């Protein structure tokens, strides 16, 4: 793969043979964030599970103590008092059949998080092929199918993120912006890893956290010592 000059320069800051402590890795990741925008710091965790088996899935959500650093547009599928509560909590888009029709018929996708009340899932289920591939389908495990839509909207705005195992047994998640600094990013990192460790399936055998890599949006990966990852969670 051909790399740009900035990437080649920032890659020199990373010792590829080293397993960094978490705080040190975050410091290096921040140093590599040299784009003209405030880059996001991301975590990539490989787990010792097999995503092909239903009893080894790892999925959930966690509110990062310092947020993600980006504004979140929330859409809520709800009716009546639930719709009113969602609007009062700050949801940008609220609707029922009308919102389903906009997504299905008009391709409306101007939101980052979708939340639904349980009684709306019969309708929202029709949008699975549209919302699913984008990671936007409401789910009870992620806390986005709930009777308390106001709380869900508030948490989404506060920095709630969903973590989910992909087909290669890796979880990819943002933990904030490079401008946050090491301390705030480390607090977010610890919250995310604590949630992932607690979500360990009973069927998982052997080493659970196989590897962990931190990176800025445009920067190279910085390998973290797996033993220190668990200790910090």
């Amino acid at each position: 793969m051909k790399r740009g000059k900035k990437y080649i320069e920032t890659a020199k800051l990373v010792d590829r043979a080293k397993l960094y402590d978490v705080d040190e890795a975050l410091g290096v990741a921040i140093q590599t964030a040299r784009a003209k925008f405030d880059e996001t710091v991301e975590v990539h965790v490989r787990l010792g599970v097999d995503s092909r088996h239903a009893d080894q899935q790892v999925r959930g959500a966690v509110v990062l103590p310092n947020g993600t650093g980006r504004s979140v547009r929330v859409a809520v599928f709800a009716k009546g008092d639930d719709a009113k509560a969602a609007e009062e909590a700050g949801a940008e888009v609220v609707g029922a059949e009308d919102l389903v029709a906009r997504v299905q018929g008009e391709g409306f996708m101007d939101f980052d998080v979708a939340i639904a009340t349980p009684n709306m899932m019969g309708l929202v289920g029709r949008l699975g092929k549209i919302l699913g591939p984008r990671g936007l389908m409401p789910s009870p495990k992620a806390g986005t199918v709930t009777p308390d839509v106001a709380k869900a909207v508030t948490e989404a705005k506060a920095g709630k993120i969903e973590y989910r195992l992909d087909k290669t047994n890796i979880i990819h998640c943002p933990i904030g912006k490079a401008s946050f600094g090491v301390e705030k990013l480390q607090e977010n990192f610890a919250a995310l890893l604590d949630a992932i460790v607690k979500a360990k399936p009973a069927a998982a055998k052997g080493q659970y956290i196989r590897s962990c890599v931190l990176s800025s949006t445009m920067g190279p990966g910085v390998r973290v010592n797996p033993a220190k990852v668990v200790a910090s969670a």
Side-chain angles (χ1 to χ4, degrees):
M1 184 183 294
K2 192 173 182 180
R3 300 290 191 179
K5 290 182 179 178
K6 281 188 178 180
Y7 182 94
I8 292 172
E9 284 301 311
T10 56
K12 294 177 182 177
L13 299 171
V14 181
D15 184 347
R16 296 286 187 178
K18 181 176 179 179
L19 291 175
Y20 291 83
D21 289 350
V22 176
D23 57 345
E24 189 179 8
L26 286 167
V28 174
I30 290 171
Q31 288 181 54
T32 66
R34 296 184 178 179
K36 293 181 180 179
F37 60 92
D38 191 4
E39 294 186 44
T40 296
V41 176
E42 302 166 355
V43 178
H44 312 275
V45 185
R46 183 184 296 278
L47 301 181
V49 296
D50 190 341
S51 61
R52 294 173 297 178
H53 299 292
D55 63 350
Q56 294 189 45
Q57 291 296 319
V58 179
R59 182 180 183 181
V62 60
V63 178
L64 300 180
N66 299 299
T68 62
R70 69 186 185 99
S71 58
V72 178
R73 298 164 297 172
V74 180
V76 178
F77 296 88
K79 294 180 178 181
D81 291 342
D82 291 325
K84 184 179 179 181
E87 289 174 348
E88 292 176 349
E92 281 77 8
V93 185
V94 181
E97 289 88 352
D98 57 330
L99 182 52
V100 171
R102 287 180 69 188
V103 174
Q104 197 168 32
E106 303 171 21
F108 175 74
M109 294 296 297
D110 193 19
F111 51 90
D112 305 300
V113 176
I115 296 166
T117 53
N119 62 355
M120 285 297 300
M121 286 308 294
L123 284 171
V124 178
R126 302 173 189 173
L127 306 177
K129 291 184 179 180
I130 300 172
L131 300 180
R134 295 173 172 82
L136 293 172
M137 189 66 184
S139 160
K141 287 187 177 180
T144 47
V145 175
T146 173
D148 192 348
V149 290
K151 180 182 178 182
V153 171
T154 301
E155 288 182 341
K157 293 283 187 181
K160 185 176 185 178
I161 61 167
E162 183 178 356
Y163 58 89
R164 186 176 185 178
L165 201 65
D166 69 9
K167 292 180 180 178
T168 62
N169 305 320
I170 299 175
I171 289 175
H172 309 271
C173 279
I175 56 167
K177 299 293 184 179
S179 61
F180 280 19
V182 171
E183 185 175 346
K184 287 185 176 180
L185 287 173
Q186 191 165 6
E187 289 174 355
N188 283 358
F189 176 90
L192 172 62
L193 266 293
D194 182 59
I196 292 174
V197 169
K198 287 179 179 177
K200 180 180 179 180
K205 305 298 180 184
Q207 186 178 353
Y208 182 51
I209 305 290
R210 292 288 177 86
S211 66
C212 179
V213 175
L214 289 163
S215 67
S216 60
T217 304
M218 306 295 288
V222 184
R223 297 167 64 215
V224 182
N225 187 337
K228 297 296 179 68
V229 167
V230 176
S232 69

